[in-house]
Amino acid sequence: MLTISKPLSSGQAQTYHAKEFTSAEQNYWKQGDAILGEWQGQLAEKYGLVGAIDAQHFARLSEGQNPYSANELMF
């Protein structure tokens, strides 16, 4: 089932990421003690995001910034 929710602010997205994806107690994607989360898709490719999700890169993206340079993204 698909549930559509209201958009999250940058801060809410970062809090959700920290609580739901990086917390070993809350993350059902983990295998053993390792939390597996990796970049996927065309935009990840476009920005050179590969491998494990880095919290700083996620935070920058949620604020509309390039994950490496922190320059504002233009859409």
Side-chain angles (χ1 to χ4, degrees):
M1 173 174 34
L2 175 66
T3 303
I4 306 294
S5 64
K6 293 186 276 183
L8 300 176
S9 70
S10 172
Q12 289 170 320
Q14 292 175 47
T15 298
Y16 179 78
H17 179 260
K19 286 184 177 179
E20 300 296 328
F21 293 98
T22 59
S23 167
E25 298 80 35
Q26 298 294 320
N27 192 310
Y28 60 87
W29 296 102
K30 69 180 180 173
Q31 291 183 355
D33 288 335
I35 298 173
L36 304 176
E38 60 183 46
W39 296 106
Q40 299 286 322
Q42 293 177 352
L43 286 177
E45 255 182 60
K46 178 180 177 178
Y47 293 115
L49 298 166
V50 295
I53 296 173
D54 177 271
Q56 182 181 31
H57 293 160
F58 181 85
R60 285 182 176 166
L61 282 171
S62 72
E63 294 170 357
Q65 299 173 347
N66 180 294
Y68 292 103
S69 69
N71 292 332
E72 183 178 353
L73 295 177
M74 300 300 197
F75 298 98

